[in-house]
Amino acid sequence: MTGLSGTASLLRLAARRDRVLIPTSALALVVVVAGSAQATVALYPDESAALAPLRAVLANPALTALYGPITSESLDSFATFKTILTGAVFLCLLAYVVVRRHTRTEEEEGRLELLGAGAIGRRAPLAAAVLLGTAAVLGTALLTMVGAIAAGLDRTGSVALGVSWIVMGLTWVGVTAVAAQLTETARGTAGFALGALALAYLLRALGDVAADDSPLHLLTWLSPLGWGEKVAPYGANRFWLLAVGLVAYAALLVGAFVLQSRRDLGAGILPSRVGPARGRLHSSLALTLRLARGTLAGWFVAFVVLGAVVGSLAGNVQSFLDSPETADLLRKMGGSDGSIVDTFFATEIHVAAVAAAALGISLVTRLRTEETAGRAEAVLATAVPRRRWALEHLVVAMAGTAVLMACLGVVAGALDSGRTGDVAGSIGRLSGAALSTLPAVWVCIAVAAVLIGVAPRFTGVSWAVLIAFFTLGEFGDLLGLPSVVSGLSPFAHLPSLPGGETAVGASLVLLGVAALCAAVGLEGLRRRDLPFG
Amino acid sequence: MTSAIQVVDLRKTFGRTKALDGLDLEVDTGEIHGFLGPNGAGKSTTIRILLGLMRADSGAVSLLGGDPRRDVETLHRRLSYVPGDVALWPNLSGGEVIDLLGNLRGGLDERRRAELLERFALDPTKKSRTYSKGNRQKVALVAALSSDVELLILDEPTSGLDPLMEAVFREAVRDFRDGGGTVLLSSHILGEVESLCDRVSIIREGRNVESGTLSQLRHLARTTVGAGLERPVAETDLADLSGVVDLVITDHELHCTVETAHLGALLERLGRHGIRTLTSAPPTLEELFMEQYRTPEVAGPR
Ligand SMILES: Nc1ncnc2c1ncn2[C@@H]1O[C@H](COP(=O)(O)OP(=O)(O)OP(=O)(O)O)[C@@H](O)[C@H]1O
Ligand SMILES: [Mg+2]
């Protein structure tokens, strides 16, 4: 008995369920890689003149850590510098989503039990998921290869790009297949597969930025993402690394099937995790913080990294200015009174503020999630007054975003002090600039609170509002919209800091709007039925 | 005797749905009060109004002598609530949830907590995510029953418990009542209602149908009667008796159902025809509730 009977029908079923996810993801990756490469190439008709300034911008440790090293002194390499590794990470995520979804998630939700009762072999679900994941990776990699060639990039390099993606993507098909065997929950699978991805990314980043003579260089080779990176498309084009990827893929799959044969349906190889028998949560605020803990920690790390990147890039921005055309371009995009470096900071900080607002909205809308899940009822049937419960969520969201922006400013300032030589001054300037965005961030949170309190069914609209605010605030002027319209966005009223004028009046108005909206939301929530509709 | 819960002429509409339509409910201090009615009758809605979670359109509500919307904090320290659909925080262990809910209510009785965990055979270290429905209900029940409160409001708290655990539940609720506590118990499990409840209220479409002790309700329901008679009886002989339906007469035999309150009158009349054999079956609880639950339109001929 091979235990594989029924694989084909399961595969058809899985492919049907993913018929939107896989093609759109693949297409998006192709468009991003080929499109951005083509745009870059079009920007520099004179290749030889472009290489020096581009290299000046791209070759620095912060960017190397993020995107991997530059593979060669060619326009093709520069044009794909930012997309190859990031695209590959997304491809790994796609592989992970597909494989997890049709293995552990199905099993956890009990659907495989139904299937298991039919004429389906024991190994068939894993085999079908792996086949679909593999097809998604190969299809995306080949399409991207074709897209890159069509965009006018070097043929051999483009094939190497496809190979590099296949190495990384297939490895994650295997990693996820193994991860799905380890724990009994889909969440556990996510932990292992995504944790491994983060570790792989980190290892190659450490290896890439290590000094040439340091043994740390070898860390890159420990990472499957490093193998893909070492294919070096548009550079060394090391096709032989495909063999390494395929060996890893095969080994992981054998491992996954062996592990699967050693466990029961629904169980994991590892014992399920237990929690404490006694609790230490004594108040609704403690509960709110506990629920926000994981999210906040993740965002905190992201903002520290963002701060580090922004802070260390400033020096490169400065040197970039030696090229007058780019300085002109930047000035057109920013339009600040300050120096170009300040414009750069202000732009990055405003984008970060929108991200912080997204976090704030996700935290405050937990009020509604708790309500619809039925957990709010349990809390509010205890001695916790509804208004306090809501206020605590609101305060955690606002304070959380404040901490994030502050930490972005401090980290960026600390790293920028290498350029300015004034530690306290840099930190003060940039954390001040980062904190100056908070009134707009809080307006977004408070708008979500209004929806939760007054129109709970439309809580999700707060995301649309954020996108509208972002679009109006960032591109309103570019789109030539009248200032009345773009002025609807709180982000349009932020001062251009550092460097620009502070806008105390506008900030106070924004704070007032935020306070008013928060009050309306809280009062609405206090008055209405719970659970609502 | 004082009332723990007093509800008068409660009305509540959701859009076009009339969830409550003039509901009255009275729960005496120290009793276990069954709260019954078909799906969608308005039980959970009433409970949510009692807890101040929802606002009534009109009507008077008094809970432990207070106003459920105004005195939230003080009232909720004196009661525990177990919802029908227990939702827990997936990342917290059962023990953490029990302590959290207890702390939010103002503290729990350590001895009772340990004892209930033992009796319910609940492992408090498992993450809530991994609990079955019955085990989630046990978590909420342990939290509610080990808090030091006067009133328990239970909305179908045992729909996921196995018979062994159901017995533990009944014992714990009885202990609570014997300690002076009051219980409002919404339930579809008739055995549970019969063995626990001192009084019950039956509602349908947001209105009261009946309330009283089970024996009072039995009295309202119909008894099935079969009699063999010495002298034949005609339908017209019984025409003036009230409460007699489903009459089938074949010569010397008679079968009918009669409202229990009118059983005496029927027997007296049949006595005149000489009763040779007699069978009489009191209504089972099922019959009793079926009769009350059935809407008049759907009831059909019996
Ligand atoms: N939040 C709400 N929005 C709209 N309609 C509601 C809401 N809550 C309850 N209803 C409606 O009110 C009526 C009474 O519902 P309720 O949940 O109180 O019934 P129930 O007696 O608890 O029923 P069950 O035995 O099924 O639990 C139903 O028609 C229900 O659909
Ligand atoms: Mg209900």
Side-chain angles (χ1 to χ4, degrees):
Chain A
M1 224 8 242
T2 56
L4 286 170
S5 55
T7 304
S9 52
L10 278 185
L11 180 60
R12 265 196 303 279
L13 187 72
R16 233 187 82 77
R17 285 182 54 204
D18 285 347
R19 68 186 183 279
V20 177
L21 174 77
I22 295 177
T24 46
S25 309
L27 214 61
L29 285 171
V30 176
V31 167
V32 167
V33 172
S36 72
Q38 190 165 35
T40 313
V41 173
L43 263 183
Y44 303 98
D46 179 3
E47 178 166 345
S48 54
L51 293 180
L54 271 175
R55 185 180 169 75
V57 183
L58 300 180
N60 73 76
L63 287 187
T64 303
L66 275 180
Y67 302 116
I70 290 167
T71 56
S72 71
E73 301 282 328
S74 70
L75 192 52
D76 287 4
S77 166
F78 291 156
T80 51
F81 171 68
K82 285 192 178 173
T83 48
I84 292 188
L85 184 61
T86 27
V89 168
F90 278 100
L91 183 63
C92 290
L93 287 175
L94 177 67
Y96 144 78
V97 167
V98 169
V99 173
R100 182 184 85 140
R101 193 159 133 90
H102 299 293
T103 53
R104 182 53 73 177
T105 310
E106 288 284 284
E107 201 166 324
E108 189 182 25
E109 289 173 1
R111 280 199 290 270
L112 281 189
E113 254 170 89
L114 293 178
L115 293 176
I120 300 278
R122 202 176 136 61
R123 295 172 170 180
L126 180 57
V130 164
L131 285 175
L132 187 63
T134 304
V137 167
L138 293 181
T140 309
L142 292 179
L143 264 181
T144 308
M145 191 180 90
V146 172
I149 294 173
L153 299 182
D154 173 59
R155 272 163 189 276
T156 318
S158 301
V159 175
L161 164 60
V163 166
S164 147
W165 277 23
I166 289 172
V167 169
M168 300 190 254
L170 285 190
T171 313
W172 249 265
V173 169
V175 166
T176 313
V178 170
Q181 312 309 315
L182 297 180
T183 70
E184 60 188 26
T185 61
R187 243 179 94 96
T189 306
F192 280 107
L194 296 181
L197 188 60
L199 184 69
Y201 188 82
L202 201 69
L203 280 176
R204 59 132 282 278
L206 289 174
D208 286 349
V209 297
D212 283 334
D213 51 358
S214 156
L216 286 179
H217 237 43
L218 294 175
L219 286 178
T220 302
W221 285 99
L222 292 180
S223 160
L225 294 183
W227 307 334
E229 188 186 288
K230 290 286 181 192
V231 173
Y234 308 107
N237 294 332
R238 300 186 189 97
F239 291 105
W240 60 269
L241 278 162
L242 180 61
V244 176
L246 289 179
V247 167
Y249 169 73
L252 286 164
L253 288 186
V254 169
F257 280 105
V258 168
L259 289 177
Q260 195 205 28
S261 67
R262 299 215 176 142
R263 68 179 181 86
D264 294 329
L265 189 68
I269 289 288
L270 302 174
S272 50
R273 270 208 305 171
V274 296
R278 298 305 312 241
R280 281 188 319 252
L281 302 173
H282 285 274
S283 65
S284 52
L285 180 61
L287 173 66
T288 305
L289 285 171
R290 167 71 198 263
L291 296 179
R293 193 173 72 180
T295 313
L296 276 176
W299 280 74
F300 184 78
V301 171
F303 267 58
V304 168
V305 171
L306 185 64
V309 172
V310 170
S312 56
L313 273 183
N316 299 101
V317 173
Q318 193 85 66
S319 58
F320 187 42
L321 296 182
D322 299 343
S323 147
E325 312 94 50
T326 41
D328 188 45
L329 183 74
L330 265 186
R331 203 174 289 118
K332 261 189 219 145
M333 283 167 61
S336 142
D337 313 331
S339 74
I340 295 294
V341 176
D342 283 345
T343 309
F344 164 76
F345 278 132
T347 312
E348 297 296 322
I349 285 173
H350 284 191
V351 171
V354 175
L359 166 73
I361 289 175
S362 81
L363 287 178
V364 78
T365 49
R366 293 222 168 148
L367 282 170
R368 179 66 180 157
T369 324
E370 289 285 288
E371 175 183 351
T372 48
R375 295 185 292 254
E377 216 177 329
V379 169
L380 296 176
T382 68
V384 177
R386 197 187 294 191
R387 201 207 292 257
R388 192 173 85 207
W389 171 74
L391 189 63
E392 284 167 357
H393 273 86
L394 202 56
V395 167
V396 166
M398 291 188 169
T401 50
V403 169
L404 281 192
M405 290 309 295
C407 110
L408 173 81
V410 169
V411 173
L415 284 167
D416 189 42
S417 64
R419 181 180 64 93
T420 62
D422 173 9
V423 179
S426 286
I427 291 182
R429 251 163 64 83
L430 289 185
S431 46
L435 291 176
S436 76
T437 61
L438 285 177
V441 173
W442 290 347
V443 167
C444 298
I445 295 175
V447 166
V450 169
L451 289 166
I452 296 166
V454 178
R457 283 199 194 106
F458 299 99
T459 302
V461 171
S462 36
W463 294 106
V465 170
L466 177 65
I467 291 170
F469 281 175
F470 172 65
T471 316
L472 288 178
E474 294 292 313
F475 308 115
D477 294 340
L478 273 180
L479 296 173
L481 294 174
S483 61
V484 195
V485 178
S486 55
L488 287 174
S489 164
F491 296 107
H493 303 284
L494 290 178
S496 178
L497 287 176
E501 293 280 318
T502 50
V504 178
S507 300
L508 286 179
V509 170
L510 287 178
L511 284 177
V513 170
L516 185 72
C517 289
V520 168
L522 288 177
E523 185 58 17
L525 185 65
R526 193 181 67 78
R527 284 162 181 269
R528 73 170 170 84
D529 287 346
L530 195 150
F532 187 92
Chain B
M1 200 175 278
T2 54
S3 297
I5 295 173
Q6 204 164 22
V7 169
V8 180
D9 197 25
L10 200 61
R11 283 166 205 279
K12 172 81 189 171
T13 47
F14 295 107
R16 272 178 303 155
T17 320
K18 266 195 191 158
L20 298 178
D21 191 13
L23 184 94
D24 299 325
L25 175 69
E26 180 142 6
V27 178
D28 294 334
T29 303
E31 73 172 352
I32 300 178
H33 194 102
F35 193 31
L36 313 171
N39 294 132
K43 304 179 296 292
S44 300
T45 305
T46 309
I47 288 175
R48 286 180 174 139
I49 291 173
L50 286 172
L51 291 168
L53 294 170
M54 288 188 172
R55 181 192 286 269
D57 298 341
S58 70
V61 182
S62 150
L63 179 80
L64 299 172
D67 174 343
R69 275 197 82 94
R70 227 192 33 230
D71 314 323
V72 175
E73 215 170 332
T74 48
L75 287 180
H76 285 190
R77 281 184 195 284
R78 299 164 61 194
L79 64 82
S80 292
Y81 165 58
V82 177
D85 233 330
V86 178
L88 306 174
W89 297 271
N91 277 331
L92 300 189
S93 69
E96 284 181 293
V97 173
I98 292 171
D99 288 333
L100 168 70
L101 293 176
N103 288 332
L104 294 183
R105 236 174 243 134
L108 5 105
D109 181 331
E110 284 299 325
R111 209 180 41 78
R112 207 149 55 203
R113 180 190 189 275
E115 182 197 321
L116 284 164
L117 279 180
E118 167 103 39
R119 274 159 77 187
F120 275 120
L122 180 69
D123 177 359
T125 61
K126 283 180 89 176
K127 295 271 184 183
S128 298
R129 175 183 311 113
T130 63
Y131 281 130
S132 63
K133 172 172 185 188
N135 280 333
R136 284 202 304 274
Q137 280 179 326
K138 287 184 197 171
V139 169
L141 282 170
V142 172
L145 287 163
S146 53
S147 298
D148 194 14
V149 294
E150 298 159 45
L151 174 65
L152 279 182
I153 297 183
L154 309 174
D155 191 354
E156 293 179 45
T158 60
S159 44
L161 296 190
D162 64 46
L164 213 62
M165 291 304 139
E166 169 80 40
V168 174
F169 165 76
R170 291 181 194 179
E171 209 176 290
V173 171
R174 264 190 225 109
D175 287 351
F176 177 79
R177 189 253 330 258
D178 295 344
T182 310
V183 183
L184 178 65
L185 170 66
S186 143
S187 176
H188 289 300
I189 301 172
L190 298 178
E192 177 178 290
V193 172
E194 185 167 34
S195 88
L196 278 179
C197 296
D198 303 307
R199 290 200 308 140
V200 303
S201 290
I202 302 179
I203 69 169
R204 193 177 62 213
E205 296 178 351
R207 270 188 296 260
N208 300 68
V209 192
E210 288 303 339
S211 65
T213 63
L214 279 177
S215 57
Q216 279 168 344
L217 293 187
R218 280 225 169 81
H219 206 62
L220 294 172
R222 298 196 171 96
T223 299
T224 319
V225 173
L229 302 169
E230 283 168 3
R231 289 176 291 283
V233 62
E235 218 164 300
T236 47
D237 295 333
L238 305 173
D240 61 320
L241 286 178
S242 50
V244 177
V245 288
D246 299 345
L247 192 58
V248 181
I249 298 175
T250 49
D251 207 16
H252 290 267
E253 296 272 319
L254 170 143
H255 289 278
C256 70
T257 59
V258 56
E259 282 174 21
T260 309
H262 299 289
L263 182 60
L266 174 69
L267 291 183
E268 194 188 329
R269 183 67 55 88
L270 292 179
R272 296 179 198 166
H273 296 263
I275 299 178
R276 261 191 288 150
T277 61
L278 180 69
T279 56
S280 132
T284 65
L285 207 57
E286 265 86 355
E287 285 168 338
L288 193 155
F289 286 120
M290 298 275 242
E291 191 167 318
Q292 304 291 350
Y293 278 21
R294 210 170 276 147
T295 52
E297 301 82 51
V298 197
R302 288 173 52 94

